[in-house]
Amino acid sequence: MHINYWHELIRNNFGKLGLAMLCFVLFIALFAPFLARYDPGEPSHAIFMPPSVDHWLGTNDIGQDIWSRLLCGAKNTLLVALGVGVFTTLLSTVIGASAALVGGIYDRILMRLIDALIVIPAFIVIILVAAYVLPNVWTLIFLISILTWQGGARLVRAQTLSLKERMSVYAARTFGANKRYIIVRHIIPNLSPILFAVFIHSATRGVFIEAGLAFLGIADISTVSWGLMMHHALRFYYLDVWKWWLIPTGLALSVTIMALVFIGHALETAMDPRLRVMEQEEWQ
Amino acid sequence: MIELKDLEVRYGKRKVLQGINLTLKRGESLSIVGESGGGKTTLGLSIIGLVEGTVKGEILFDGKNLVALAEKELKAIRWNRIAMVFQNVENALNPLYTVLDQVSEPIVAHKLGDRKEATKRAGELLSMVDLPEGRFYAYPHQLSGGEKQRVLIAMALANDPDLIILDEPTTALDALTKVEIINLMHTVCNERELTILLLTHDFYAASTLSDKMAVLYAGRIVEFGPTPALLSNPRHPYTRGLLRCYPSMTTTKDLQGIKGRMEFFDDGCPFHPRCTQSLEKCREGAPRLEEYDGRLIACHRGGIIPLLELRDLSKSFDSLNAVDSIDITLYEGETLALVGESGSGKTTTAKLIMGIFEATEGRICLEGKQIHGRDKSFYQRVQMIFQNPMEAVSHRFSVREAVREPLDIQKQCDREQRESIVRHILEEVELPSSEAFMNKYPHQLSQGEAQRVSIARALVLNPKLLIADEPTSALDASTQAKVVKLLLNLQEERGIGMFFITHNLALARKISDRIAVMLRGHIVEEGPSNEIIRNPLHPYTKDLLKAAPTLNSNVPLVPKHTSKKKEGFGCPYANRCDKALEVCFNEKPQLRHFGSHRVACVHA
């Protein structure tokens, strides 16, 4: 059955909403330098200023403009999302697909490895490691990725196994196709929807973990991160500043995560025929 | 009695007959068959010395070389020893004389009696050929075609010849008259111990009137052997082609023609432009008539080649023997239908040939060579049509990409050529080759269209062997008919050997030359389609035949599966067979030969 996933995504209301939200965040991240009125790192203002015309969201404890920091935080968050998404998907694909295609002992070893890794709570391990290293964005991306690829790899392996047995692949073999041709022309194109789903899920997880770590204070102080902003804001809970410091930041983070979750949900619906049918009945 | 040695006849520069070597003993009957224009009549005329061309070589009649004989001596032999029944009933009789006069004429002319005696003898002859007495004084135009033929035979017999040459004696006669004439010929020839040389394109006359048969093509004999053997198992592609064109109650396959037209060649095999298995050498030198298995064949390849041979092929999945030492041969340009219920191992067999599964045991030979590894060149020669076209074509491929895929994989030609090949093949399978159609995706096609796309894919590499796995089971009857016709036409054009897997015996009967019945991994019966249909020997085949679709309203009784006893040891049909004996459950019956059949049943 041929499904155009992009169309399905657009057709789905959650998908539409998610995409719109993600585009919004993306817009902010890209145009932050133009939208921001001050250098987000510049502690050159009075501290704890309430929102005003000059400082829309006031200033923080060391006199940085919160509005500017919020805008720049989007860049950091999306970078993590993209980085973790790409890196995890790549790892999952290479490991999952090769396990399925090579099979045999190689497959068995990898699968046991995945079983072992899957029981390790990634978040706690990252906290432990990060506590020592105090990672910057790139090390964090790397860390999250190598600890969370297992689920994706399993999915990709399962899908590849079923793709490998497709009649169209057998047909290609009866035309004399070699492995490379089959992988490039038949396996990878058909894996793409699942890879996209894996990408979205890992990105969501990446954003979540990064924010969580920063919220716990495990982050490079110099990065502008929403998690870190919340971490700092929370220290001054007794002041009024949380209204324009904590809440907008939390909202921004929620919007980003929700955007990704909605897209993920819409994709799942598109890929699972049973869900699709239910959805259609609901709408009718 | 008569011997032709290196006979060659030419009209001007055109050789109409060449290299004819035939021997006919007294009392024997030989038929010479072939398309019209192949030189049959010329052969007959050259024997009685009436041919207008230049004759070379020898025609020995009782030791005398007729070619060297003077006209006067020839006259003594002609009609007295050798008589001919001419073709073309309409013009062979003189319209101005009554038939009695015409029959008595050769007697008078050869001075074997006076007119009175001659008339008496002519009367006898005419009554012998069952012409009603009232018709003796009729003029030719008053006679029917059958009656004229009788008169002509009577004329030929007038001087009591030893050898009678019959040139198309039954053409243009209706069925019953034809049988009467053949019966007449039979009795007459047996009574008089005549030697018959029958020139005809009618296999029915040839099969009933001759013991031996020579197939003449473009002035050369291409196959020679005993008539029944030649008819039941033609080994020269031309003989097979002729038989496929001939509608008879014996054959079940749809009529197929022979591609191209007859042309005369001095060099090379005369049949090579129309032959589907011709090689380069077929164009260069004429093949000699050589002996293969008790008959003479003039073919560089030794007659129709075995294209695919499965020898003791087995495949087991763990403890299940999906295919259990099967043994099948498929000849070039023929269709072998593999018939059986679902789960009997048909598709597994196909996949074994294609190399999708690795055989547990046994050999697969293609054109006589055993297949070890399958490389691109193997897949160029062997292609498969998958059961479900929607699945076999990737849903991401447009029609263009799907049909081009084999070419892409084989890296044949450049882009533009591939494009034109794709268009050509789409037209060949009767699909539109328009831009709009080629950009469609499988889910936008109907079942029939998708199946044709799948056929086009299989044909685009121009394979010699096509494995068709239930190619029509998902199609409605009218689409099925078109697809089947298409495949048969391609077989006629390209000589594709088809390994046709189906559960539909009624369909198999119309398209296949041979049928192999498969049951639980075994071949239980195998043989020519007409034999299997007319005279099935295995109980399973009989039940399949009973269950085959008919247009009668009565529903046949088909045995149910009764697990009476342990399975797996004995005959695969023992549990359902109503004639099963103790031995059927304990011992696997071997495939044994019965005529042209092979059957694995203790009762056969």
Side-chain angles (χ1 to χ4, degrees):
Chain A
M1 176 79 191
H2 186 84
I3 303 169
N4 189 325
Y5 290 95
W6 179 249
H7 275 262
E8 293 289 322
L9 200 58
I10 297 290
R11 247 184 46 195
N12 188 307
N13 282 357
F14 277 113
K16 251 185 272 185
L17 190 61
L19 274 176
M21 284 154 76
L22 194 67
C23 286
F24 176 65
V25 179
L26 197 68
F27 176 80
I28 288 175
L30 285 176
F31 292 98
F34 307 104
L35 297 171
R37 311 167 60 134
Y38 305 98
D39 181 349
E42 181 75 65
S44 58
H45 310 282
I47 61 163
F48 292 136
M49 285 210 298
S52 63
V53 181
D54 285 340
H55 299 279
W56 290 1
L57 291 177
T59 54
N60 66 5
D61 55 339
I62 52 168
Q64 292 162 324
D65 181 44
I66 294 177
W67 171 245
S68 307
R69 287 183 74 77
L70 193 66
L71 293 179
C72 290
K75 190 184 116 200
N76 181 63
T77 302
L78 286 188
L79 191 64
V80 172
L82 186 72
V84 173
V86 167
F87 206 53
T88 309
T89 312
L90 211 65
L91 267 175
S92 304
T93 312
V94 169
I95 293 171
S98 68
L101 291 172
V102 175
I105 191 92
Y106 174 78
D107 181 33
R108 296 239 288 277
I109 289 173
L110 280 179
M111 283 305 106
R112 295 298 83 76
L113 185 71
I114 286 173
D115 287 345
L117 284 176
I118 234 161
V119 294
I120 298 175
F123 198 67
I124 297 189
V125 174
I126 293 168
I127 288 175
L128 284 175
V129 177
Y132 287 101
V133 193
L134 270 196
N136 65 11
V137 178
W138 297 107
T139 31
L140 194 66
I141 288 172
F142 175 74
L143 213 58
I144 297 173
S145 298
I146 60 159
L147 283 165
T148 57
W149 55 267
Q150 312 91 326
R154 264 199 179 169
L155 266 176
V156 172
R157 174 179 173 270
Q159 183 70 9
T160 312
L161 278 180
S162 98
L163 286 176
K164 204 169 79 162
E165 300 295 315
R166 281 217 181 153
M167 263 343 219
S168 52
V169 171
Y170 281 127
R173 278 172 58 187
T174 65
F175 300 136
N178 55 17
K179 272 220 159 97
R180 212 189 118 226
Y181 176 88
I182 286 174
I183 291 171
V184 173
R185 289 287 282 161
H186 285 271
I187 305 278
I188 290 178
N190 283 309
L191 273 179
S192 58
I194 222 163
L195 295 186
F196 191 45
V198 168
F199 173 84
I200 292 288
H201 279 285
S202 345
T204 317
R205 205 185 297 118
V207 170
F208 209 80
I209 291 178
E210 189 272 340
L213 285 175
F215 182 73
L216 293 176
I218 305 162
D220 186 354
I221 317 272
S222 64
T223 54
V224 187
S225 153
W226 288 343
L228 207 57
M229 282 167 73
M230 288 164 80
H231 168 74
H232 288 308
L234 215 56
R235 280 193 301 175
F236 303 98
Y237 65 92
Y238 46 84
L239 295 175
D240 259 356
V241 291
W242 59 271
K243 284 183 194 159
W244 48 85
W245 194 358
L246 189 62
I247 287 184
T249 319
L251 269 177
L253 192 60
S254 306
V255 164
T256 314
I257 291 179
M258 267 161 66
L260 291 169
V261 168
F262 283 169
I263 295 173
H265 175 78
L267 270 180
E268 228 166 80
T269 322
M271 269 185 275
D272 190 334
R274 278 173 306 167
L275 284 179
R276 263 153 51 98
V277 172
M278 276 163 58
E279 194 99 332
Q280 272 163 9
E281 280 167 2
E282 247 170 63
W283 290 117
Q284 272 159 12
Chain B
M1 172 161 188
I2 187 153
E3 197 179 350
L4 309 184
K5 275 189 184 168
D6 276 330
L7 184 70
E8 184 186 307
V9 178
R10 54 168 84 207
Y11 294 130
K13 275 190 181 164
R14 215 170 75 125
K15 285 184 191 168
V16 178
L17 287 175
Q18 50 184 318
I20 305 288
N21 285 297
L22 281 173
T23 313
L24 201 53
K25 293 198 189 82
R26 186 175 296 272
E28 270 185 348
S29 51
L30 169 72
S31 56
I32 301 209
V33 295
E35 285 168 280
S36 26
K40 298 190 298 291
T41 304
T42 307
L43 181 68
L45 291 175
S46 61
I47 291 176
I48 56 169
L50 288 177
V51 78
E52 281 167 15
T54 14
V55 182
K56 269 193 208 160
E58 291 175 35
I59 301 173
L60 297 174
F61 182 72
D62 284 343
K64 265 183 273 179
N65 186 1
L66 300 185
V67 177
L69 241 47
E71 179 61 22
K72 209 174 150 193
E73 287 170 280
L74 213 52
K75 254 185 187 159
I77 291 175
R78 194 188 300 148
W79 229 260
N80 288 340
R81 306 283 315 276
I82 307 174
M84 185 157 173
V85 177
F86 291 99
Q87 193 184 0
N88 197 347
V89 174
E90 300 306 318
N91 298 332
L93 292 170
N94 189 331
L96 300 175
Y97 294 93
T98 62
V99 292
L100 193 67
D101 284 346
Q102 297 207 29
V103 176
S104 57
E105 191 192 312
I107 307 171
V108 178
H110 283 94
K111 302 194 174 66
L112 295 173
D114 56 26
R115 185 148 287 279
K116 213 173 150 196
E117 276 170 8
T119 313
K120 188 170 161 256
R121 171 141 175 78
E124 280 167 20
L125 283 166
L126 284 174
S127 22
M128 193 188 74
V129 298
D130 290 331
L131 192 75
E133 221 155 300
R135 315 290 283 161
F136 285 5
Y137 296 98
Y139 286 92
H141 68 271
Q142 295 171 312
L143 298 179
S144 70
E147 285 170 333
K148 280 185 214 165
Q149 193 66 57
R150 285 166 203 269
V151 172
L152 282 169
I153 292 169
M155 268 177 83
L157 293 174
N159 292 359
D160 213 358
D162 299 313
L163 171 68
I164 183 162
I165 301 170
L166 302 161
D167 191 2
E168 303 280 14
T170 56
T171 324
L173 297 183
D174 66 81
L176 289 180
T177 320
K178 191 190 271 187
V179 173
E180 279 172 33
I181 295 287
I182 287 172
N183 274 331
L184 171 71
M185 294 303 309
H186 247 296
T187 31
V188 170
C189 296
N190 283 343
E191 271 171 23
R192 305 190 168 211
E193 287 187 358
L194 279 171
T195 310
I196 301 180
L197 184 65
L198 175 67
L199 314 169
T200 187
H201 63 246
D202 182 3
F203 278 107
Y204 180 50
S207 72
T208 46
L209 285 175
S210 66
D211 318 319
K212 285 185 183 171
M213 185 182 276
V215 182
L216 192 69
Y217 182 78
R220 293 175 199 263
I221 288 173
V222 293
E223 187 168 5
F224 178 81
T227 306
L230 229 68
L231 292 178
S232 66
N233 184 24
R235 299 275 20 107
H236 192 280
Y238 179 62
T239 319
R240 181 183 67 191
L242 277 183
L243 278 167
R244 278 188 175 167
C245 309
Y246 185 75
S248 77
M249 297 304 282
T250 315
T251 49
T252 56
K253 195 183 183 185
D254 277 346
L255 296 185
Q256 277 179 296
I258 308 173
K259 66 168 178 177
R261 278 180 299 121
M262 179 153 60
E263 283 172 79
F264 284 78
F265 288 94
D266 287 343
D267 304 314
C269 174
F271 192 56
H272 84 257
R274 305 176 77 183
C275 184
T276 49
Q277 58 172 23
S278 63
L279 300 174
E280 197 51 42
K281 64 178 170 185
C282 298
R283 196 173 310 165
E284 282 154 11
R288 297 160 62 88
L289 208 56
E290 277 163 11
E291 191 169 341
Y292 297 93
D293 299 330
R295 76 175 71 164
L296 299 171
I297 299 167
C299 179
H300 282 301
R301 309 201 70 180
I304 301 160
I305 53 162
L307 186 61
L308 176 75
E309 293 161 277
L310 308 182
R311 296 279 167 261
D312 297 321
L313 197 67
S314 298
K315 172 71 185 174
S316 46
F317 297 105
D318 299 323
S319 62
L320 175 78
N321 287 337
V323 173
D324 202 340
S325 67
I326 61 169
D327 207 273
I328 305 179
T329 308
L330 166 65
Y331 288 94
E332 194 270 347
E334 292 190 3
T335 313
L336 177 86
L338 192 59
V339 182
E341 60 202 5
S342 33
S344 55
K346 307 188 298 285
T347 301
T348 308
T349 311
K351 288 185 174 171
L352 283 174
I353 301 169
M354 291 313 285
I356 292 172
F357 294 150
E358 231 15 84
T360 321
E361 259 176 77
R363 292 179 290 136
I364 299 171
C365 299
L366 188 68
E367 292 189 38
K369 289 190 196 86
Q370 192 177 344
I371 299 298
H372 293 288
R374 291 171 178 78
D375 53 3
K376 281 186 178 170
S377 72
F378 172 84
Y379 290 115
Q380 228 176 68
R381 289 184 293 164
V382 184
Q383 275 298 308
M384 178 158 173
I385 302 172
F386 286 87
Q387 189 164 5
N388 190 338
M390 295 287 190
E391 278 176 29
V393 178
S394 169
H395 61 91
R396 290 176 180 278
F397 283 4
S398 64
V399 169
R400 172 191 277 112
E401 286 171 309
V403 178
R404 210 182 53 201
E405 188 181 22
L407 295 171
D408 287 342
I409 291 172
Q410 295 271 349
K411 299 203 174 66
Q412 284 186 359
C413 329
D414 56 41
R415 254 192 116 71
E416 273 167 39
Q417 274 174 311
R418 282 182 205 172
E419 180 80 13
S420 75
I421 293 173
V422 168
R423 279 177 198 276
H424 180 78
I425 203 88
L426 281 175
E427 267 159 33
E428 204 163 1
V429 298
E430 287 162 32
L431 283 174
S433 60
S434 63
E435 202 62 25
F437 184 81
M438 295 216 291
N439 288 331
K440 278 190 178 178
Y441 284 89
H443 65 278
Q444 297 169 309
L445 302 176
S446 72
Q447 275 282 351
E449 284 173 331
Q451 188 58 273
R452 279 177 213 214
V453 168
S454 153
I455 292 173
R457 263 149 71 89
L459 292 174
V460 79
L461 293 175
N462 203 359
K464 275 309 276 181
L465 171 60
L466 193 61
I467 294 161
D469 186 6
E470 304 263 17
T472 59
S473 62
L475 305 179
D476 62 66
S478 73
T479 322
Q480 166 170 294
K482 280 187 200 160
V483 168
V484 163
K485 275 230 169 90
L486 172 75
L487 288 174
L488 287 181
N489 284 341
L490 287 166
Q491 181 168 66
E492 183 183 317
E493 279 297 313
R494 305 188 184 176
I496 295 172
M498 251 198 290
F499 194 81
F500 199 97
I501 295 172
T502 178
H503 56 250
N504 189 343
L505 203 53
L507 176 65
R509 163 174 168 261
K510 297 298 282 178
I511 59 163
S512 63
D513 298 273
R514 295 182 83 82
I515 291 178
V517 182
M518 199 165 184
L519 178 64
R520 297 211 353 234
H522 299 78
I523 299 288
V524 294
E525 186 162 7
E526 196 264 346
S529 304
N530 58 323
E531 282 286 310
I532 299 274
I533 300 293
R534 244 182 342 157
N535 182 25
L537 294 174
H538 197 280
Y540 179 54
T541 319
K542 287 179 189 166
D543 288 333
L544 275 182
L545 265 173
K546 260 192 246 165
T550 61
L551 299 180
N552 307 331
S553 53
N554 42 357
V555 179
L557 278 174
V558 174
K560 281 195 207 103
H561 198 282
T562 51
S563 42
K564 279 185 279 193
K565 283 188 186 170
K566 60 206 178 232
E567 277 196 16
F569 292 102
C571 169
Y573 201 55
N575 275 330
R576 280 183 278 174
C577 184
D578 49 5
K579 286 192 286 181
L581 306 171
E582 191 60 35
V583 63
C584 297
F585 287 96
N586 300 325
E587 225 177 279
K588 241 171 219 170
Q590 293 298 313
L591 211 54
R592 288 175 297 162
H593 283 271
F594 287 90
S596 48
H597 261 69
R598 289 187 299 160
V599 190
C601 178
V602 286
H603 296 289

